[in-house]
Amino acid sequence: MRPFEYIKPSTVDEATSFLSQNAEDSLIMGGGTAAVVLLHLGVVRPRYVVDLGGIGALRETTMKGSLHLGALTSIRSLERDPAIAADYNLLSEAASQVANIRVRNAASVGGAVAYGEPQTDTPVALTALDATVEIAGASGARQIPIADFYRGPYETALEQGELVVGINVPKPAANSVGCHMKFTIGSPENKPVANASALIALDPSSGKIIAARVVMGAVGGTPVVAASAAGLVGETPNDDLFADIAAQAANETDPIEDLRGPVWYKRRIAKVLVERALKCALQKSQG
Amino acid sequence: MNVNVTINDKAEQRDVEPSVTLLEFVRDVLGLKGTKEYCHSGVCGACTVLMDGNAISACSTLAVQADGHDLLTVEGLGTPDDMHPIQQAFVDNFGLQCGYCTPGMVLLTKSLLDENPQPTREEIIRYMGSNICRCTGYAGILASVEAVVAQRGK
Amino acid sequence: MCAAEKPRVTRLIGQSMPTLEAADKATGRVEYMGDLTVPNMTHAKIVRSPFAHARITSIDASAARALPGVVCVFTRDELLADDDMETLYGFVYRDVPVVATDKVRHEGDIVAVVVAETENIAEEAVELVDVDYEELPSVMSVDAALEDGAIHVHDDFFPIAPELRPRAGTNICHEAQISKGDIVQGFAEADFIYEDSYSAPPVQHCALDRHAVIVDYEGDEITVWTNCQSPFPLQREIKRIFNKDARVIVPYVGGGFGSKSRDRIEVVITGAAKLAKRPVRYIMTQEETFQTFIRPAYQSWIKTGVKKDGTIVARHHVFTVDVGAYAISGARSANNTLKVATGPYNIPNAVVDCYAVYTNKPPSAPYRGLPTTQHTMSYETQLDRIAKDLGIDRLELRRMNLAREGDIHLTGDWLRNAHTHECLDQVTEAIGWDKPLAPSADGKIVRGRGVASTIKYTLTPPREMSENSAEVALGEDGIFEARFGTVNMGQGSDTTMAQITGDALGVGLDLLRLVHSDTGLTPVDSSTTASRSTYHMGNALVDASDKLKEQILAAAAPMLEQSADKLTMGDEGVTVDGDPGNGLSFDEIVRRNGGPFAAMGECVVGGTWKAPDGKEYPIASTFWTFASCAAEVEVDTETGLVRLVSAAASATTGTAINPHSIETQLEGGVGQEMGPTLFEQMVWSDEGQLMNPTLMDYPLPTMQTMPHYEPRFVEHPFDGGPFGAKGMGEIGAVIVPGAVLNAVNDATGVMFHEVPLLPYKVLEALDSRAGSEA
């Protein structure tokens, strides 16, 4: 690996003030699972590696009305925290499907979001949950809805020198249930052909859907929020409805052909996953 | 950079370049060669070590990230004459052939059983699916983990 | 023939025992190549071609040489300036430049070696080597390489092995034919004729222990530490190229599967070490292993003639193997499988044509039975098509055509130990062939079963080229030392050899010490490939043990005042029959003898075999291994995902030396081949760049894709094998794709003619079937 200078700030301010001068020459590292591989391969050759690991504040997780995740919260803790699993089940389900256990132990939620990879499971679920990305920079802090945060493959709304410091996840509406589905070739640890998160809220008296959100990953440059999910609202859930909405949602995707399949196939898989995620969510709601 | 770790219950302090990976630190700096390298991209698990009890890929971690942490490598588990029960189970149940993935598999088993002492077969498969073996087809590895679970369940 | 079968006491053979080194491996104490260091060692990195085919116009390594910490840079200039260094190597096909001289012929081809004080410096220096290329058109497939006017990967051919036949002015580096009966007559007699084409793309072995080498050129002989599967041919090749004695030492190897069966880096690193005048270590990255040896692309066309009742009367099988840029071993492995291309069936009239073709892909290597695996996939799936078409049960069609003991094979061999029907019966019973399949809950998951049977050869050179020897010695400490060249790469060879040697001598494992794969310490052996070691090295060890025993008993006889035939060897030493208290310990015998004992043994193969009918028959393969697989699959008709649910495998092993070890070899073979059957493949761009060089894009089987295994074996002692044993290390893999494709056909009604069964291809086929039915 090429030599670099190692910077380990202990506060966010320290980090942002360093980055305000050196952002262009810096690689920001959270858990390091992606960063160290990129450094090893020589894909990036920064002068500085800024390790956020020393910033204790980024490890704080609170649940007061909404869920606040410090950027360094590990993917594995999203998977294992019983409180998150209870109230933000979709998130823990998606987290449990990320790569392998070693990656989940080391990788951070902030890193996963900031990296901007279009196929990672957690950002897809966070988008379905309408999370907000908390950003800090030398010029101050800002918050941005995660759906607006993604601009393209590996492109985000982060300005030079800015950091993802946390993720805020509003508590899903009462009677909401979600499900995350992922389809891979070979073992589930592999990169997905596509993945999908569905979150629906049901009116307990009528049984009708009162809110719905569907997001698909790996089928566009960013997580794709399905506008067609609006068609679920006000309807009584049934298989035909789900199939119809899933087909519409798949048409909203913009996948590329790669080793995991041609465009038509990725759309088909997106449809199947959305349909399965909706059915799975409904099944969960019926307990 | 100064790196202080407790590794296999022993305190170690070394001065290393920040670009040294934890894998290089363990193998080349500390001379603990039981931890192996193959893919160097966090996929195969040959370099699995436990940091504060959690399985991680030493290849995709910098040594400086381990500063102040507790590490366990295969050398800290048992010796050929006094094997850890997990290692004994891998021997008895033909859980290894070439042995190259074995240190990682053994440590992954330890982290699984520390988290979940009585996993179901499905839970074992899901967890152990994280690491790659090219020889056994995994049957012997599954049998080895299940043997430890059965032994502890008694 | 090898050592004659005698009545013997077997204490160790037949025992399922973990490998002798298992505890060392489980505790991480075994040293593989990457763990070895030598004093004063330097580190090498390789400058590799970014192009599939290019002419090197200039190499300027001055900036690299000037970098502090760089010891030397080895390029064509150093190679060509050194009169004591041959430029081409290869002991099967001499077509590989030690380092690229005029052209590069595949992405990753070796252009220069940088030697430095540290790996990091070497890595930095690699980027400072300035190479100018003139890119040339490339041929990235056999079809492209065979087109009229295709560029030629090599201008000349240099076959070494006598059986190799290149065709001048083409990319065909070897063509051959084998035949039996009269194929014209055979097809004329057929009621039905079937023709099909099949293909399989390249994959990589992904042995986790990457290729690595340390070379010390200084001293009286060159010392090479490497994880190569063929230390002895490599030693000779290094000696020839550098005109200096060499010793090759192979430590424990972390998986080979054929990827290390031939040398590729040892020679060039030796050149670099000569220049460096210090020991040089080189360890490949995983990505570089993908550029070094791969399993080649395969294509076949099969025409089969059958009678109405299902009897196969004629077969024409044509296949091509893409050997890549250098025919280091690809041409010969293609040629070897001519012998088995028609399968384990008794076909009276057959012709098989083989073409090994150069392309601009990385060189090909054997891979656990390749391309017998692909032949089996081809003829077994066609057989299911024939069964369906003729309305004959799939198993019945096989049973009526499977060869039996004494049938005359395609090669003219009188088939021995051909328990083909037993294998088939075992796997169908193990998988519950007659039990109903689990019903599909919602019609979206469909299930099916399939079988495949095969025949596999082992490397069988002409008698005069047979090289399989071993030495057994008794030292002053009273311990027996078995010295043999077999490389321990995880297959359990040390344990197998210890079981054989211990029983041959009549002593337990405590009295045995093993020395493996070191050309300085162990007698010559051709290679650890082709499932050959149990048979060949086992026999050599039996032969050596017998001779040693004779020596020891002869020496002990006067000491005990008995004739040698009244003495027995055992754990206590040599004792007088009927008087167990009267004897001598081994160390005492050595002491009184005035020195240790040692005996060489060998296993000579080839020649002819006298059958029960009194006639002599050829031996195209020292032994044949027969096997069957039954597979059960699930197909998700919404996604096209195929899951191998269950796999039963059975092989004719002869005497089972270590029964559970045999089962785990079968599981490992099935588990490994499942990858290339369902999802593994290497993909290149049109320009010849590999698109999936890392595991991030090259998926491998994990425990999550593991089927339920039912390993079996058919144990009839094989006359001539050590204690009746045969080899079986590769056979588990060979039978997988055929069985899986047949199972998918059973589940979906779609017969695939290629692997891997990528979900999108499956879904496409299901769609088109639905379309044609609608």
Side-chain angles (χ1 to χ4, degrees):
Chain A
M1 196 183 291
R2 289 308 183 84
F4 52 79
E5 266 184 67
Y6 179 71
I7 310 293
K8 196 175 183 185
S10 52
T11 64
V12 171
D13 283 350
E14 231 179 90
T16 53
S17 100
F18 178 83
L19 288 168
S20 70
Q21 302 297 314
N22 303 293
E24 242 174 87
D25 300 325
S26 297
L27 175 73
I28 302 169
M29 186 168 86
T33 50
V36 179
V37 173
L38 295 176
L39 287 167
H40 172 76
L41 292 173
V43 176
V44 290
R45 295 175 173 196
R47 180 165 171 199
Y48 305 105
V49 169
V50 182
D51 180 1
L52 305 182
I55 308 178
L58 298 185
R59 297 190 184 278
E60 282 167 18
T61 296
T62 55
M63 278 177 87
K64 291 175 199 148
S66 66
L67 171 66
H68 173 266
L69 300 169
L72 291 179
T73 307
S74 78
I75 301 295
R76 185 90 172 118
S77 65
L78 301 183
E79 178 186 350
R80 296 190 73 203
D81 185 328
I84 295 176
D87 289 353
Y88 300 86
N89 187 257
L90 174 61
L91 181 58
S92 59
E93 201 173 277
S96 77
Q97 294 178 37
V98 171
N100 59 54
I101 196 98
R102 290 168 280 104
V103 168
R104 298 203 293 276
N105 276 327
S108 66
V109 67
V113 167
Y115 191 34
E117 214 170 22
Q119 75 263 17
T120 317
D121 296 282
T122 28
V124 171
L126 286 168
T127 308
L129 287 162
D130 251 332
T132 303
V133 183
E134 298 170 359
I135 296 168
S139 53
R142 62 189 181 113
Q143 301 211 345
I144 178 167
I146 191 165
D148 298 336
F149 178 78
Y150 288 107
R151 298 284 160 86
Y154 306 96
E155 269 179 55
T156 67
L158 284 177
E159 301 284 338
Q160 195 142 71
E162 283 188 326
L163 296 175
V164 171
V165 291
I167 312 288
N168 201 63
V169 194
K171 190 162 180 179
N175 304 310
S176 286
V177 273
C179 197
H180 184 80
M181 290 278 169
K182 171 179 174 177
F183 182 78
T184 60
I185 294 172
S187 197
E189 289 79 13
N190 300 327
K191 280 186 192 170
V193 174
N195 53 28
S197 280
L199 186 70
I200 55 174
L202 294 162
D203 177 7
S205 54
S206 69
K208 287 190 174 168
I209 299 171
I210 48 176
R213 207 163 151 83
V214 169
V215 182
M216 297 160 287
V219 285
T222 67
V224 177
V225 181
S228 46
L232 293 162
V233 178
E235 301 290 332
T236 304
N238 65 76
D239 286 359
D240 289 344
L241 172 71
F242 287 167
D244 183 36
I245 296 296
Q248 290 181 41
N251 278 333
E252 297 181 49
T253 64
D254 184 20
I256 52 162
E257 172 161 4
D258 61 15
L259 295 165
R260 283 163 282 280
V263 169
W264 69 265
Y265 181 71
K266 291 186 172 184
R267 287 220 169 97
R268 277 279 280 278
I269 293 300
K271 179 200 175 265
V272 171
L273 293 179
V274 168
E275 201 176 344
R276 287 180 182 180
L278 287 167
K279 282 184 186 170
C280 158
L282 180 65
Q283 212 160 33
K284 280 188 192 171
S285 76
Q286 293 163 342
Chain B
M1 302 285 305
N2 215 354
V3 174
N4 283 284
V5 295
T6 304
I7 182 160
N8 305 330
D9 292 326
K10 195 175 156 212
E12 293 280 6
Q13 183 185 343
R14 292 289 193 284
D15 190 40
V16 297
E17 290 296 317
S19 61
V20 169
T21 64
L22 182 57
L23 180 58
E24 291 164 335
F25 183 74
V26 168
R27 283 178 55 86
D28 303 335
V29 179
L30 299 179
L32 298 170
K33 305 234 170 174
T35 308
K36 303 300 180 196
E37 174 177 348
Y38 173 55
C39 75
H40 216 296
S41 51
V43 178
C44 75
C47 68
T48 302
V49 299
L50 304 192
M51 186 154 87
D52 305 328
N54 295 318
I56 58 163
S57 307
C59 76
S60 18
T61 308
L62 296 177
V64 290
Q65 288 181 280
D67 182 40
H69 292 275
D70 182 78
L71 297 169
L72 180 70
T73 69
V74 69
E75 288 87 353
L77 218 47
T79 62
D81 297 328
D82 182 21
M83 281 187 278
H84 185 279
I86 293 172
Q87 293 168 319
Q88 187 68 54
F90 271 71
V91 171
D92 294 344
N93 295 280
F94 290 63
L96 61 88
Q97 287 181 24
C98 85
Y100 200 86
C101 75
T102 312
M105 285 289 182
V106 162
L107 288 166
L108 191 66
T109 306
K110 177 158 187 351
S111 77
L112 163 65
L113 299 182
D114 287 350
E115 282 175 22
N116 181 359
Q118 289 291 307
T120 62
R121 176 171 286 191
E122 284 67 35
E123 286 169 335
I124 296 170
I125 289 173
R126 180 114 208 280
Y127 203 99
M128 298 302 292
S130 291
N131 281 21
I132 285 168
C133 166
R134 296 293 291 150
C135 299
T136 63
Y138 303 102
I141 296 173
L142 177 60
S144 303
V145 180
E146 288 190 326
V148 184
V149 173
Q151 198 180 13
R152 291 191 180 175
K154 276 179 194 162
Chain C
M1 278 297 87
C2 300
E5 191 81 359
K6 296 176 196 167
R8 295 174 187 273
V9 180
T10 51
R11 288 190 298 168
L12 301 170
I13 288 169
Q15 272 191 52
S16 287
M17 56 173 81
T19 55
L20 302 173
E21 64 278 12
D24 288 338
K25 284 180 172 175
T27 52
R29 263 63 171 185
V30 161
E31 285 194 321
Y32 302 89
M33 252 332 286
D35 304 326
L36 300 181
T37 55
V38 300
N40 200 27
M41 189 174 82
T42 61
H43 302 264
K45 289 277 176 189
I46 291 181
V47 179
R48 291 177 179 276
S49 166
F51 301 111
H53 196 199
R55 187 176 306 282
I56 299 172
T57 50
S58 73
I59 302 175
D60 178 1
S62 54
R65 290 194 179 97
L67 187 73
V70 169
V71 176
C72 65
V73 182
F74 179 66
T75 69
R76 61 183 184 182
D77 296 338
E78 288 69 30
L79 171 66
L80 298 173
D82 188 338
D83 292 338
D84 287 328
M85 213 186 282
E86 296 287 326
T87 51
L88 287 176
Y89 80 94
F91 53 87
V92 174
Y93 228 105
R94 193 157 296 155
D95 59 358
V96 195
V98 169
V99 66
T101 47
D102 56 342
K103 283 198 229 171
V104 285
R105 295 183 175 85
H106 65 91
E107 184 194 21
D109 206 353
I110 298 173
V111 177
V113 180
V114 174
V115 179
E117 298 293 343
T118 69
E119 275 187 75
N120 277 339
I121 296 171
E123 207 172 295
E124 200 180 334
V126 159
E127 296 187 8
L128 298 176
V129 177
D130 191 11
V131 186
D132 282 335
Y133 299 95
E134 175 199 337
E135 211 180 335
L136 299 169
S138 57
V139 283
M140 290 308 295
S141 68
V142 164
D143 288 347
L146 293 179
E147 268 173 24
D148 284 342
I151 58 98
H152 293 155
V153 179
H154 292 267
D155 301 324
D156 296 304
F157 300 95
F158 303 102
I160 299 299
E163 68 271 29
L164 299 176
R165 303 265 180 276
R167 189 191 290 185
T170 73
N171 284 309
I172 298 170
C173 61
H174 173 61
E175 60 184 317
Q177 187 181 75
I178 190 170
S179 66
K180 176 189 173 188
D182 180 344
I183 196 169
V184 176
Q185 182 65 26
F187 280 117
E189 284 170 14
D191 295 317
F192 301 99
I193 290 174
Y194 298 86
E195 287 179 56
D196 292 284
S197 298
Y198 301 91
S199 66
V203 296
Q204 219 274 340
H205 313 70
C206 298
L208 300 189
D209 176 23
R210 300 155 298 156
H211 303 246
V213 60
I214 298 174
V215 181
D216 185 353
Y217 196 91
E218 305 306 293
D220 294 339
E221 60 180 5
I222 306 167
T223 311
V224 180
W225 291 264
T226 170
N227 46 19
C228 180
Q229 292 170 236
S230 308
F232 291 90
L234 172 61
Q235 179 223 7
R236 280 184 206 150
E237 196 57 4
I238 288 183
K239 196 174 163 181
R240 181 186 68 80
I241 290 171
F242 297 95
N243 194 23
K244 183 174 174 178
D245 279 339
R247 173 180 175 186
V248 175
I249 303 168
V250 181
Y252 287 103
V253 176
F257 317 116
S259 64
K260 296 165 182 145
S261 59
R262 295 292 176 259
D263 50 310
R264 177 77 178 95
I265 51 168
E266 289 83 352
V267 171
V268 66
I269 298 299
T270 303
K274 183 178 182 184
L275 195 62
K277 298 186 169 59
R278 280 170 63 186
V280 176
R281 180 174 83 169
Y282 170 68
I283 306 176
M284 267 185 215
T285 64
Q286 174 261 308
E287 292 92 319
E288 286 178 300
T289 66
F290 276 44
Q291 298 175 330
T292 301
F293 278 123
I294 63 172
R295 166 157 117 184
Y298 169 93
Q299 290 179 311
S300 68
W301 169 85
I302 303 190
K303 179 178 171 186
T304 303
V306 291
K307 304 288 273 184
K308 278 180 199 143
D309 68 354
T311 310
I312 304 172
V313 290
R315 163 75 56 78
H316 189 187
H317 184 143
V318 181
F319 69 95
T320 65
V321 169
D322 175 350
V323 302
Y326 301 107
I328 299 167
S329 71
R332 191 162 74 176
S333 28
N335 187 66
N336 285 333
T337 66
L338 275 171
K339 301 169 182 176
V340 291
T342 53
Y345 300 102
N346 193 14
I347 303 176
N349 307 294
V351 172
V352 183
D353 291 298
C354 151
Y355 299 93
V357 182
Y358 279 132
T359 68
N360 294 112
K361 289 206 193 98
S364 77
Y367 183 129
R368 216 164 184 160
L370 158 125
T372 308
T373 313
Q374 290 72 16
H375 294 332
T376 306
M377 171 184 106
S378 308
Y379 60 70
E380 283 300 275
T381 53
Q382 192 189 50
L383 213 51
D384 264 30
R385 189 163 94 78
I386 295 170
K388 198 172 184 178
D389 200 53
L390 295 181
I392 300 174
D393 176 78
R394 294 184 281 168
L395 298 184
E396 191 45 44
L397 182 65
R398 285 180 171 79
R399 288 191 183 115
M400 68 198 288
N401 286 293
L402 275 172
R404 294 173 188 275
E405 186 87 5
D407 280 347
I408 305 305
H409 188 57
L410 176 65
T411 53
D413 287 38
W414 197 95
L415 286 177
R416 293 185 285 152
N417 211 253
H419 305 284
T420 54
H421 291 76
E422 276 183 66
C423 287
L424 186 60
D425 291 347
Q426 277 193 346
V427 297
T428 49
E429 200 212 324
I431 206 146
W433 188 263
D434 296 324
K435 290 194 187 121
L437 290 158
S440 175
D442 53 6
K444 285 170 184 160
I445 303 285
V446 293
R447 296 181 176 83
R449 295 192 186 112
V451 294
S453 293
T454 195
I455 176 174
K456 169 94 179 67
Y457 68 96
T458 189
L459 271 187
T460 306
R463 197 177 188 86
E464 62 278 10
M465 290 171 70
S466 173
E467 292 192 311
N468 320 283
S469 50
E471 185 174 28
V472 183
L474 173 62
E476 283 164 5
D477 54 1
I479 300 290
F480 291 88
E481 190 168 278
R483 300 163 189 154
F484 52 93
T486 304
V487 173
N488 186 332
M489 48 192 182
Q491 79 281 44
S493 51
D494 284 5
T495 313
T496 301
M497 300 313 161
Q499 288 176 282
I500 290 171
T501 309
D503 275 356
L505 292 168
V507 302
L509 296 176
D510 291 348
L511 291 179
L512 279 180
R513 184 166 51 227
L514 309 177
V515 177
H516 62 216
S517 55
D518 177 342
T519 65
L521 299 176
T522 62
V524 66
D525 171 44
S526 63
S527 62
T528 303
T529 59
S531 306
R532 62 184 301 282
S533 300
T534 297
Y535 183 96
H536 297 87
M537 194 51 76
N539 270 325
L541 283 163
V542 169
D543 187 35
S545 300
D546 285 348
K547 288 173 180 162
L548 184 74
K549 196 169 171 176
E550 212 177 295
Q551 280 183 36
I552 294 169
L553 293 181
M559 299 174 196
L560 287 162
E561 296 173 343
Q562 290 284 342
S563 67
D565 62 350
K566 298 276 186 330
L567 301 177
T568 299
M569 257 170 60
D571 290 345
E572 309 308 319
V574 175
T575 51
V576 178
D577 293 348
D579 183 9
N582 188 7
L584 288 169
S585 65
F586 289 120
D587 53 347
E588 181 63 16
I589 295 171
V590 175
R591 198 183 60 77
R592 291 203 204 172
N593 185 55
F597 298 84
M600 294 286 288
E602 63 176 344
C603 173
V604 178
V605 300
T608 58
W609 185 73
K610 191 172 182 180
D613 63 8
K615 292 184 198 155
E616 297 285 336
Y617 290 87
I619 301 177
S621 178
T622 309
F623 59 85
W624 303 95
T625 304
F626 300 88
S628 295
C629 177
E632 182 173 324
V633 301
E634 268 181 16
V635 183
D636 182 335
T637 56
E638 283 192 311
T639 62
L641 184 74
V642 179
R643 206 167 71 80
L644 178 58
V645 177
S646 184
S650 170
T652 61
T653 58
T655 302
I657 305 283
N658 189 340
H660 193 49
S661 178
I662 285 178
E663 290 167 351
T664 60
Q665 283 300 307
L666 287 171
E667 289 167 353
V670 170
Q672 186 164 46
E673 192 57 39
M674 191 199 75
T677 304
L678 296 183
F679 45 77
E680 278 177 51
Q681 65 169 340
M682 301 175 83
V683 181
W684 284 266
S685 69
D686 294 341
E687 294 75 36
Q689 272 79 40
L690 182 63
M691 307 289 283
N692 50 352
T694 74
L695 292 202
M696 291 180 276
D697 288 311
Y698 186 91
L700 289 170
T702 73
M703 199 182 278
Q704 300 223 56
T705 57
M706 171 183 72
H708 170 72
Y709 298 102
E710 291 285 352
R712 299 284 189 278
F713 50 87
V714 175
E715 190 179 10
H716 297 288
F718 175 58
D719 180 26
F723 295 88
K726 299 199 286 190
M728 52 73 58
E730 298 161 304
I731 199 78
V734 172
I735 42 187
V736 174
V740 169
L741 261 59
N742 283 336
V744 169
N745 181 39
D746 186 45
T748 64
V750 177
M751 181 60 92
F752 285 87
H753 288 222
E754 61 174 8
V755 286
L757 295 172
L758 289 174
Y760 76 85
K761 291 192 175 172
V762 174
L763 198 61
E764 194 171 43
L766 293 176
D767 281 358
S768 97
R769 188 200 57 171
S772 67
E773 279 172 6

